[in-house]
Each structure stands twice: as structure tokens, then as C-alpha cells.
């Protein structure tokens, strides 16, 4: 049975899905005698498949039209001579709408691949990630994320064009908060479950970018930075020593000392990762100068009884258990 599943080819487009559905429907009827398909049914099927294909073609045409709008950005001054000057605000709105339509269309994996073939990703990288208008920068990053998510072919293509260092730079230093958040989203789509992306992330000091993201004033950026750190440490435990050597334990504890926020759950989860099977991480956490034991004890008291904070409390008490098991508590036996 396993060999049958491996050999089976699954449809890669809507036409294939429809054909598979027809075949499955026929198979579900059991071993009834096979009768020739009537001409009427053949005609219906041909028309249905034609409509499906037409829909796909329409979407490709829509993407081409959106790209034509976006490529006007590169029209030279001489080519614009003699044309009526366009209102800048109207022009920006039109391009933002083009990006939004492309992002929606590229939730379909086939469309994401087609956009890559049409040169849309190169356009994002060359003209729009560095655009003066923040609304166009973040929409370009969002489109890159939409295309890269769960698409190894697109991920490799973007990495080969140097997308990751540009996105990390935006995450780290763009003046507009939404651009930073969307850029980090795109980074996440390029490095999670993608070995080449992880290596590029490491070579461009990506963990330091996440560290600074968790220390920013932008709540969404802090949350997404902490979540990506936790995800990478969980998926790639071999990176623990690298992260610990950067002083990440001390930085994460300093983050926990800021006013409480839901993203602290991810921070505590990351600390748990850095302690487990990592002697240096454990040593850093148990350093008395860090004051982590008292901080965790206090946080546990604050979280206890709050249903919405149960996962954070679990991380907190798990970290206490790994780091300070057997040490006296001042909670009068009320830790658990």
C-alpha cells in the first residue's frame, strides 16, 4: 500500500483535480459494468474542463495586468513626455491595489509559480522592497511571503536572487513598523523548513536580527521575532550553542523583565529550548547574577489561575524545574 501511495501522481492544477474527482466518483460506484460515456456527458465534461482552464488563464492575465501597472514605475522620464501627468496619490493607490490582487491570487500555488516565471518576484526585489513609499514596500514583502510559503521552488529562486539579506535589513531597520513586520513574515517563509534558507539566515546574522526585534517597541515585531526564534530552536536544536554563545539567554531574560506581554510565552519557550540538552545554556540561566529564579517565581505567582496564560505558566514552571530543581522555594508549597 505504501508503494501504491508513493507511485500515485497527484494533480498539480484545477483541471487535474476535476479529472481525479470524476475518476474517484466512478471508482466509488464499485464494480458495476462499465458503460460507454454518452456524447452528452462527454460534451458536458469538455465544457466543464474548458471553464476551469479558462479560469486559470483569466488569473494569469490578471497577474500580467497587475505587473504591467507595477512596471510603469520603471518608465523613464522621456517615455512619459507628452503624457498627461498623473496624480501621484492615485498612481500609488493603483499600484497598492495591484499588489493586493497579486497577493490574493498567489495564495494559489500554481499562480505563485506563474508569477515567478513572469518575473514578478524580480520586480519586487529590484524596485519595490526599496521603494520610497512604505505602503509599496510592505506590500512587496507580503507578496514575496505569499509566494514563498510552502513553495520550495519559489523559495530557492528567491534565495538565489539575494532576497533574504534585503528582507533582514528591512526587518532590522526600516522606519515603518508595518514594513518590518511584513519583511519578517517573508523571512520566516524563506527559512522555516528550508535548509538553504536557514544557512543564508545564519550567514547574515539572522539571530541577531531576531534579538533586536524582540527588543523593539513594535508589539507585532516582538511577537513574530520571538515566535520565529522558538520555531527555529525547536526545529534545529543544533543551533543552540551558536545562539547561546551570542548571549541570547541574557537578552531573553532582559526581555522578560519588560512589562508583561503575551509574547513572553514564546520567550520562555525559547529559554526552555536553550536549557534542554545545552550545558552552557543551563549554566547561563542558573548564574545567580541573572536573578532568573526569583523572576520565574514571581511570574508564576502572577500567572497562576489565569486560563489564558496557562501555556506561559507551563513554560515558566518547566524552566524553573530544569534550572532550579531541588532548590528551596518561598511559595510555601504552592508552586503547582
Amino acid at each position: 500500500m505504501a508503494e501504491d501511495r508513493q507511485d500515485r501522481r497527484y494533480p498539480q492544477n484545477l483541471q487535474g483535480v476535476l479529472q481525479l474527482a470524476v475518476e474517484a466518483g466512478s471508482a466509488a460506484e464499485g464494480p458495476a459494468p462499465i458503460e460507454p460515456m454518452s456524447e452528452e456527458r462527454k460534451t458536458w465534461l469538455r465544457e466543464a474542463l474548458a471553464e476551469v482552464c479558462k479560469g486559470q488563464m483569466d488569473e494569469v492575465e490578471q497577474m500580467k495586468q497587475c505587473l504591467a501597472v507595477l512596471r510603469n514605475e520603471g518608465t523613464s522620464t522621456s517615455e512619459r513626455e507628452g503624457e498627461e501627468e498623473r496624480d501621484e496619490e492615485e498612481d500609488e493607490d493603483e499600484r497598492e491595489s495591484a499588489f493586493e490582487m497579486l497577493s490574493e491570487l498567489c495564495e494559489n500555488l500554481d499562480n505563485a509559480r506563474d508569477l515567478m516565471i513572469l518575473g514578478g518576484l524580480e520586480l519586487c526585489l529590484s524596485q519595490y522592497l526599496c521603494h520610497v513609499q512604505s505602503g509599496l514596500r510592505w506590500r512587496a514583502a507580503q507578496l514575496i511571503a505569499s509566494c514563498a510559503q510552502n513553495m520550495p521552488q519559489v523559495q530557492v529562486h528567491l534565495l538565489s536572487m539575494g532576497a533574504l539579506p534585503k528582507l533582514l535589513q528591512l526587518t532590522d531597520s526600516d522606519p515603518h513598523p508595518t514594513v518590518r513586520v511584513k519583511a519578517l513574515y517573508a523571512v520566516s517563509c524563506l527559512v522555516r523548513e528550508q535548509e538553504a534558507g536557514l544557512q543564508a539566515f545564519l550567514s547574515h546574522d539572522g539571530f541577531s536580527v531576531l534579538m533586536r526585534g524582540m527588543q523593539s517597541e513594535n508589539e507585532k515585531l516582538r511577537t513574530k521575532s520571538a515566535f520565529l526564534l522558538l520555531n527555529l530552536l525547536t526545529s534545529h536544536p543544533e543551533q543552540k550553542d551558536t545562539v547561546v554563545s551570542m548571549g541570547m539567554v541574557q537578552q531573553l531574560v532582559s526581555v522578560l523583565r519588560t512589562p508583561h506581554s503575551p509574547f513572553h510565552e514564546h520567550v520562555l519557550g525559547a529559554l526552555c529550548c536553550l536549557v534542554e540538552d545545552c550545558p552552557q545554556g543551563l549554566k547561563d540561566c542558573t548564574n545567580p547574577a541573572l536573578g532568573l529564579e526569583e523572576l520565574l517565581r514571581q511570574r508564576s505567582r502572577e500567572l497562576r489561575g489565569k486560563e489564558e496564560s496557562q501555556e506561559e505558566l507551563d513554560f515558566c514552571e518547566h524552566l524553573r524545574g530544569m534550572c532550579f530543581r531541588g532548590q528551596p522555594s518561598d511559595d510555601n508549597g504552592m508552586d503547582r
Side-chain angles (χ1 to χ4, degrees), residues 110-122 153 157:
D110 287 336
N111 287 340
R113 188 181 297 107
D114 287 339
L115 184 70
M116 176 186 73
I117 295 170
L118 292 170
L121 298 177
E122 286 91 339
Q153 182 183 359
H157 180 70

Side-chain angles (χ1 to χ4, degrees), residues 210-229:
L210 297 185
M211 183 187 296
R212 290 189 289 273
M214 287 183 289
Q215 297 168 334
S216 75
E217 297 180 357
N218 185 334
E219 178 74 11
K220 287 185 177 180
L221 186 63
R222 292 199 300 265
T223 300
K224 291 184 180 296
S225 296
F227 180 78
L228 181 55
L229 174 64

Side-chain angles (χ1 to χ4, degrees), residues 106-129:
C106 288
E107 291 178 3
N108 178 311
L109 299 185
D110 287 336
N111 287 340
R113 188 181 297 107
D114 287 339
L115 184 70
M116 176 186 73
I117 295 170
L118 292 170
L121 298 177
E122 286 91 339
L123 185 65
C124 288
L125 292 175
S126 64
Q127 292 189 31
Y128 285 100
L129 285 185

Side-chain angles (χ1 to χ4, degrees), residues 229-243:
L229 174 64
L230 175 57
N231 178 273
L232 292 177
L233 291 176
T234 303
S235 303
H236 302 278
E238 72 278 4
Q239 298 301 326
K240 291 180 184 181
D241 289 337
T242 299
V243 172

